[in-house]
């Protein structure tokens, strides 16, 4: 092997980061990059900047259900600035389940009741039945997330554009504890494996690394997918933190930007002894899962009585057109993930595994209430709810197919919270893929 070729190989190992086909998929990194960065990302960002998607209601004061000794981050960048009441469009404040002006008026009456879903006798019989069905479905075992009580006095609207996900300085034992519990207690880990599942744990050498991934490859596709989804979410968050890093902090200004060194420490193939590229491949795997869910749920959003209701009729109509354009673009993606292999074995075992899958993920959504940095908690809750909604969609294919073309859907529905989290969570993954291109370009200049 020539010296020049060896130098090129080392350069590619460090700067291309990840390429080629993904495990358990027929898709490759290059196809995703081209589709996301040039066809999808710009329009998706425009949609997420609209009023309907920028306001997210969240309860950041829920107590941690697993331990009491939470160290709250005291840094100013950990803080979340909630919206004042007059900053949120009236249509959003009154909307929970319905998506039209008429439906909003009905729900406003319902929300005056003692609990969400209580039905006012003045409503039509059909609407009463629909509201009860929606509430029952929301509380059912089909959900993959522990949802916030958005009717709680502690729940507040947050403008996501004014509280962006970025590096806050939240790190150390508290942050480590969150991820450690997620990996060690909620992923499907055989008892024979002693190595920590947390990929940020110090490596003990390549032989140990190979043993670790050999057991992962030996798992059934569902358990392997679960680990890869969590690892992909972890990787995506680390990409965001590296891309929006506090580079300079003075009393005059804060300067945020790409921290190449931080990115390399987390993802460089050599510095991480091969772990970094695996993390990034899991990020692409997560992208494909959420992309497939969005392609499956198109009929729900195509229904004529669905609106992205904020009260601004012109903007709402324009945003629905943009939303459907994005969804049809997603549906046209040529190499979608084939989820038909999920839970396709013996029916009894498949149902048991699906329930385990759901309970593990619900548990992870509850762990988000233990995050000591409020901004990290905000984005952690939103992204886990978004991924949980994507999983709910994937496992509701028959219900979606049987929806009526108009009128109430009694079997499948999405709340505004689920819709906002679904698209914003995918927007975060889409941004991560775009940022990988930016880091590649920056690393090439470092050469």
């Amino acid at each position: 092997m020539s010296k020049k070729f060896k130098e090129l190989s080392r350069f590619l190992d460090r700067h291309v980061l990840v390429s080629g086909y993904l495990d358990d998929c027929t898709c490759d990194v290059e196809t995703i990059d081209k589709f996301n960065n040039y066809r999808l990302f710009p329009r998706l960002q425009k949609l997420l900047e609209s009023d309907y998607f920028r306001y997210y209601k969240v309860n950041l004061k829920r107590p941690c259900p697993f331990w009491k000794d939470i160290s709250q981050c005291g840094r100013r960048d950990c803080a979340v600035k909630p919206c004042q009441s007059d900053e949120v469009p009236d249509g959003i404040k009154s909307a929970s389940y319905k998506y039209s002006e008429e439906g909003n008026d009905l729900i406003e009456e319902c929300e005056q009741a003692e609990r969400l879903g209580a039905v006012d006798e003045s409503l039509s019989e059909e609407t009463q039945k629909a509201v009860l069905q929606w509430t029952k479905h929301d509380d059912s075992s089909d959900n993959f997330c522990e949802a916030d009580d958005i009717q709680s006095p502690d729940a507040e609207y947050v403008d996501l554009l004014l509280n962006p996900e970025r590096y806050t300085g939240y790190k150390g034992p508290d942050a480590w504890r969150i991820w450690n519990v997620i990996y060690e207690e909620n992923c499907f880990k055989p008892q024979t494996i002693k190595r920590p599942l947390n990929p940020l744990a110090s490596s003990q050498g390549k032989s140990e690394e190979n043993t670790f991934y050999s057991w992962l490859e030996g798992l059934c596709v569902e358990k392997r997918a679960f680990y890869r989804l969590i690892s992909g979410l972890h990787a995506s968050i680390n990409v965001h933190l590296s891309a929006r890093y506090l580079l300079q902090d003075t009393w005059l200004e804060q300067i945020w930007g790409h921290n190449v060194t931080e990115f390399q420490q987390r993802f460089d193939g050599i510095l991480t002894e091969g772990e970094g590229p695996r993390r990034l491949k899991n990020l692409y795997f997560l992208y494909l899962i959420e992309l497939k869910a969005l392609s499956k749920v198109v009929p729900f959003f195509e229904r004529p009585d669905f609106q992205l209701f904020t009260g601004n009729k012109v903007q709402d109509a324009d945003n629905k057109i943009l939303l459907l354009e994005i969804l049809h673009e997603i549906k046209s993606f040529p190499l979608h993930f084939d989820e038909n292999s999920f839970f396709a074995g013996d029916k009894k075992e498949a149902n048991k595994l699906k329930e385990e899958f759901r309970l593990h993920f619900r548990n992870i959504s509850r762990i988000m209430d233990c995050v000591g940095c409020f901004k990290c908690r905000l984005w952690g809750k939103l992204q886990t709810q978004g991924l949980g909604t994507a999983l709910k969609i994937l496992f509701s294919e028959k219900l979606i197919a049987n929806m009526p073309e108009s009128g109430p859907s009694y079997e499948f529905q999405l709340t505004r919270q689920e819709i906002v989290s679904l698209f914003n969570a995918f927007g975060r993954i889409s941004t991560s893929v775009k940022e990988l291109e930016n880091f590649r370009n920056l690393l090439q200049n470092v050469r």
Side-chain angles (χ1 to χ4, degrees), residues 373-428:
C373 164
F374 284 112
K375 188 168 289 183
C376 305
R377 184 182 297 192
L378 163 66
W379 285 100
K381 288 167 77 76
L382 182 145
Q383 290 178 83
T384 51
Q385 185 180 26
L387 177 53
T389 303
L391 294 174
K392 169 182 171 178
I393 292 168
L394 289 177
F395 295 124
S396 302
E397 182 175 8
K398 291 182 179 178
L399 299 180
I400 295 172
N402 293 330
M403 284 191 309
E405 292 184 1
S406 62
S409 171
Y410 298 111
E411 298 297 329
F412 177 85
Q413 59 85 22
L414 295 176
T415 67
R416 179 181 177 276
Q417 285 290 105
E418 289 175 312
I419 295 169
V420 172
S421 64
L422 173 67
F423 282 90
N424 272 284
F426 181 66
R428 294 283 77 208

Side-chain angles (χ1 to χ4, degrees), residues 355-366:
E355 180 65 8
E356 286 185 65
F357 200 95
R358 186 186 65 82
L359 291 177
H360 276 294
F361 198 83
R362 282 178 69 94
N363 211 35
I364 290 173
S365 72
R366 298 174 69 206

